Amino acid sequence: MNKIINKIKEKDDIIIFFVIFCISIGVTLNMSILAIDEIWNFQSVYKLYNGYEIYKEFNVIDTPLFFWCTELIFRIFGANLVIFRISHCVFMAIYFLLCYKLLKKLGISKPISLFVTLGFITLGFSEIISFPLLRTGGNYNQMAMLIAILGMYFLTSKRFHKNYILQAIISVLTFLAKQTIGIYYIIANILYLLVSDNSKEEKIEKGIQYFAFMALGLILFLLILLLNNNIYAFFDYAFGSISEFADKNTAFEIRSLAYLVGIIGINIVTNIFILKKKCFSKQQEETIKRLLIFSIIFAFMAYPIVNEFHVMLAIYFSVINLVYSIYYLFKDFEKNINKILKVINLICIIGLIAFSGYHLLEWKNTIESESYPYSWKNPFFGGVITQKEYEKNQTVIQYIENNEKNVIVLSEKAALYMVPLKRNNGDFDLPLKGNLGSQGEDGLIEKIKQMKNTQFLIYSGSEKVIYQEVEKAKEYIKNTMECIGKIDDFDIYE
């Protein structure tokens, strides 16, 4: 029996990964096909898969690692929504496993580490149980954060915490997943190096190593873009769009903002108290400094869109830091807390897997029903859609397909029609403010002026359009072109 128990303990990480995957799978698969971030990201990966070049031929405003990796998955396993979502489940299982391992690496007990990890998976602000990081679908933000968490894991390790060559590699990969998060990671690393207990000579040596290897990695990336004649388009979208994105897309959810300010504020006050009281060991104080620096810098991730999803990522290091600080302040109560949490964790896991299993069964029944419209070869296979919505989409798809003229859907919904058609209209398939390069909406209008033999579909339905819609471009079309009819919820302009 002892041998069996020891073997289970040795496979702790595998068990946690499997548990998280089981919690994720039903929740993630049983989602409707909606014109939101998931479908926009899926569209970009699908365009890559179909031979179009990122940046040069379609607008992506983030660095390309997520898109490259997901396209590779498509080439191995197939290119449809169910593969996209299953890969997201695997990815998020690794993400949350790293959360658990980081907490353990910090010396926090397994029951508390697991309890905090389950909280990251399930808890949100809009609803208590909302799975905010799972229901976004495949996303470059989570990939960048996963790499950053891996970097923090190495910074916490006695073996790797002074290895700044490794940190340079992590910094480059984080940057390639999302440039802004990569920049935050680099800034946090530099600040920590400056305040660390290394000697002045060590700081200079580590700093040179860090910048040299990071520069090498970034130069290699730029060479790849240069060889593909893609470097201008990359800078235009990935950096030229930043100011417009921040200016036009600033949005605040009051509840999310309150959580962000509250958690970060409590974290800072708690840490200042601990460092002033000198109640921790020197090594523990170094850990607190490191986590505090990362938590403050990564809080900026919530800007400019302060919503539940971005705040959940932005507060990650703050929560870890708070848990670490409180754990060692009240370590005398560890045994009693662990006993209680073991029971709570077991109940939560059983409940969450049952909840996920219910959704998985519901999803299975949906895609196996006779009325389900998609086959494996259809890119939207695996997505949940009502018969009414499917027929509405097909009406527009058939109109575009049978039209002798080029038809552009100037709407956030464009992906719903262009993905099945395997068409690429560049910026027009994701016409959102802050996603249009350095020329912004004015550049889009100039492109419209140059287009011939083209019809534009402008949404006129009852659903509220998102704040990122290109209203200026739509008004230009309405004022300079003739409305010749209507198809579904769109007015046709020519």
Side-chain angles (χ1 to χ4, degrees), residues 309-340:
F309 171 69
H310 289 99
V311 169
M312 282 297 297
L313 294 172
I315 65 172
Y316 174 82
F317 288 117
S318 291
V319 172
I320 296 294
N321 198 7
L322 265 175
V323 171
Y324 179 80
S325 302
I326 293 169
Y327 177 78
Y328 281 102
L329 278 174
F330 299 97
K331 201 170 189 308
D332 292 342
F333 300 95
E334 178 184 4
K335 287 185 179 179
N336 293 330
I337 293 171
N338 284 343
K339 286 178 183 178
I340 296 168

Side-chain angles (χ1 to χ4, degrees), residues 99-335:
C99 295
Y100 173 74
K101 286 179 69 66
L102 175 58
L103 287 161
K104 283 203 307 174
K105 179 65 74 175
L106 290 167
I108 297 167
S109 67
K110 288 183 181 181
I112 295 176
S113 297
L114 182 56
F115 180 75
V116 175
T117 302
L118 291 173
F120 274 124
I121 296 170
T122 59
L123 300 181
F125 310 143
S126 55
E127 300 172 27
I128 294 176
I129 307 296
S130 60
F131 303 94
L133 297 182
L134 291 176
R135 286 181 166 156
T136 54
N139 197 289
Y140 39 80
N141 287 288
Q142 284 110 313
M143 173 176 275
M145 272 303 294
L146 182 151
I147 300 167
I149 294 166
L150 182 63
M152 177 57 73
Y153 181 83
F154 287 130
L155 277 174
T156 308
S157 168
K158 289 181 180 179
R159 183 181 175 187
F160 295 108
H161 79 283
K162 290 190 176 182
N163 188 332
Y164 269 79
I165 295 174
L166 179 60
Q167 284 304 311
I169 295 169
I170 294 290
S171 297
V172 171
L173 291 175
T174 307
F175 179 86
L176 292 183
K178 187 175 183 181
Q179 65 273 40
T180 52
I181 298 178
I183 290 168
Y184 296 147
Y185 189 83
I186 292 165
I187 293 170
N189 248 315
I190 294 167
L191 289 176
Y192 173 64
L193 179 61
L194 291 174
V195 303
S196 68
D197 60 355
N198 292 317
S199 66
K200 185 178 178 181
E201 291 74 20
E202 282 183 313
K203 288 177 182 179
I204 293 171
E205 180 188 348
K206 299 297 180 187
I208 291 170
Q209 287 179 355
Y210 182 64
F211 283 108
F213 279 87
M214 191 165 58
L216 179 62
L218 293 174
I219 288 168
L220 287 173
F221 167 63
L222 292 175
L223 280 173
I224 292 170
L225 293 175
L226 190 62
L227 290 172
N228 285 283
N229 195 28
N230 206 2
I231 197 161
Y232 171 77
F234 164 72
F235 277 103
D236 188 49
Y237 284 112
F239 293 95
S241 296
I242 287 177
S243 60
E244 185 187 42
F245 190 94
D247 181 49
K248 303 294 185 182
N249 298 326
T250 301
F252 296 92
E253 289 178 1
I254 300 301
R255 185 182 296 181
S256 297
L257 180 61
Y259 274 93
L260 176 68
V261 174
I263 289 172
I264 291 170
I266 293 168
N267 178 47
I268 292 171
V269 170
T270 303
N271 278 245
I272 290 172
F273 170 79
I274 288 169
L275 293 172
K276 278 188 174 182
K277 289 292 183 181
K278 299 289 182 182
C279 50
F280 281 11
S281 69
K282 187 177 179 181
Q283 184 181 347
Q284 288 171 333
E285 286 185 357
E286 279 295 309
T287 300
I288 287 174
K289 285 180 187 176
R290 183 189 308 125
L291 288 169
L292 181 59
I293 288 168
F294 275 79
S295 62
I296 292 171
I297 298 300
F298 272 73
F300 290 98
M301 276 184 63
Y303 180 80
I305 304 175
V306 185
N307 59 16
E308 183 178 52
F309 171 69
H310 289 99
V311 169
M312 282 297 297
L313 294 172
I315 65 172
Y316 174 82
F317 288 117
S318 291
V319 172
I320 296 294
N321 198 7
L322 265 175
V323 171
Y324 179 80
S325 302
I326 293 169
Y327 177 78
Y328 281 102
L329 278 174
F330 299 97
K331 201 170 189 308
D332 292 342
F333 300 95
E334 178 184 4
K335 287 185 179 179

Side-chain angles (χ1 to χ4, degrees), residues 7 17 51 65 102 310 339 383 396 399 451:
K7 282 188 177 181
F17 173 87
L65 188 61
L102 175 58
H310 289 99
K339 286 178 183 178
V396 177
Y399 176 80
M451 300 185 85

